[in-house]
């Protein structure tokens, strides 16, 4: 998917420099994500987020295999991550499971159900990013051959989702949610100027659905 062409949907600052390094905090290994940039008022800002890390031995690394994911049925640009965190914090008080539902017509919902209570928070008019034809077969991609109004659903642990949306503190320029129905969700976080300028980088997280 093209990072260039995406608008800044959350009004965050434009990041000028992004670094990721292995470090220690409280004598524990962490990945330190540092963003140096300017606010909308041209004030210098420095943000640091520490991500817990586990150091693996060579034998452990050799046993790890990257999970294979099918192409997503839906990919959609997320709204403001801080707003999503506030919603997820309230859902956490009701249930540990969160269902993320979206379609290729700009609609996204976060929902959960408990005894006697159904909670649904919906967003409309979101962008569905264009696919990059140099990376995928656009005409055969699942998101292009399905009904644009058909929703794909993935249910995850709301606590994992809350950890993810903490990424709002890095002032991402865009966040793309990709739903592989019945299997999992991938979030692509674009930090830096659109188009790859200014030292921008791309990170992603993936959670697997409950069955």
């Amino acid at each position: 998917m093209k990072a260039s062409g995406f608008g800044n949907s959350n009004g965050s600052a434009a990041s000028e420099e992004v670094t990721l390094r292995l470090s220690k905090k409280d004598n524990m290994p962490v990945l330190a994500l540092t963003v140096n940039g300017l606010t909308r008022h041209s004030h210098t800002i420095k943000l640091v987020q520490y991500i817990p890390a586990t150091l693996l031995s060579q034998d452990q690394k050799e046993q790890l295999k990257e999970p294979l994911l099918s192409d997503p049925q839906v990919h959609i640009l997320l709204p403001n991550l801080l707003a999503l965190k506030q919603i997820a914090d309230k859902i956490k008080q009701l249930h540990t499971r969160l269902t993320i539902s979206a379609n290729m017509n700009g609609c996204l919902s976060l929902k959960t159900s408990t005894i006697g209570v159904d909670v649904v928070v919906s967003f409309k008019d979101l962008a569905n990013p264009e696919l990059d034809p140099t990376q995928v077969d656009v005409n055969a991609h699942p998101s292009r051959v399905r009904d644009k109004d058909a929703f794909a659903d993935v249910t995850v642990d709301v606590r994992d989702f809350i950890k993810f949306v903490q990424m709002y503190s890095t002032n991402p320029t865009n966040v793309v949610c990709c739903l592989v129905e019945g299997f999992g969700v991938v979030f692509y976080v674009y930090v830096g100027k659109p188009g790859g300028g200014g030292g921008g980088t791309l990170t992603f997280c993936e959670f697997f659905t409950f069955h």
Side-chain angles (χ1 to χ4, degrees):
M1 295 178 186
K2 297 185 292 184
S4 55
F6 290 165
N8 191 336
S9 64
N10 55 20
S12 60
S15 304
E16 299 295 336
E17 183 180 38
V18 180
T19 58
L20 182 67
R21 62 184 179 86
L22 182 63
S23 182
K24 278 190 175 183
K25 183 176 177 63
D26 298 328
N27 207 34
M28 297 295 292
V30 295
L31 290 174
L33 178 65
T34 304
V35 180
N36 294 293
L38 297 175
T39 68
R40 285 171 293 184
H41 302 292
S42 298
H43 297 147
T44 302
I45 186 172
K46 179 178 181 179
L47 299 172
V48 181
Q49 178 160 334
Y50 296 102
I51 306 168
T54 300
L55 300 181
L56 302 178
S57 66
Q58 185 62 37
D59 290 340
Q60 289 174 315
K61 287 192 294 183
E62 291 176 354
Q63 294 175 11
L64 290 178
K65 292 184 179 180
E66 183 177 353
L68 296 177
L69 280 175
S70 302
D71 289 330
Q73 286 83 13
V74 171
H75 47 271
I76 191 168
L77 203 64
L78 289 184
N80 185 287
L81 290 189
L82 179 56
L84 294 183
K85 179 183 180 302
Q86 293 169 344
I87 294 168
D89 284 336
K90 293 179 180 179
I91 289 177
K92 180 184 175 183
Q93 299 174 18
L94 300 172
H95 207 292
T96 58
R97 296 190 179 187
L98 169 71
T99 298
I100 305 168
S101 182
N103 65 18
M104 289 300 295
N105 201 22
C107 298
L108 170 76
S109 294
L110 302 179
K111 51 191 177 182
T112 193
S113 296
T114 62
I115 298 176
V117 179
D118 292 326
V119 178
V120 180
V121 181
S122 299
F123 299 86
K124 295 182 179 180
D125 300 322
L126 301 176
N128 297 101
E130 294 183 6
L131 296 168
D132 186 344
T134 65
Q135 298 185 31
V136 298
D137 183 350
V138 174
N139 293 327
H141 197 273
S143 65
R144 294 291 294 270
V145 298
R146 67 187 274 122
D147 183 350
K148 292 180 63 175
D149 291 319
F151 280 83
D153 299 326
V154 172
T155 300
V156 299
D157 191 316
V158 68
R159 294 165 295 187
D160 288 336
F161 183 76
I162 289 172
K163 290 178 183 177
F164 163 70
V165 292
Q166 294 283 2
M167 289 293 293
Y168 80 86
S169 62
T170 65
N171 282 337
T173 51
N174 287 292
V175 181
V176 180
C177 171
C178 299
L179 298 177
V180 183
E181 191 164 33
F183 189 80
V185 57
V186 179
F187 297 104
Y188 291 90
V189 182
Y190 293 85
V191 182
K193 293 181 179 179
T201 188
L202 169 67
T203 62
F204 68 92
C205 304
E206 53 189 287
F207 309 124
F208 298 99
T209 190
F210 288 99
H211 293 285

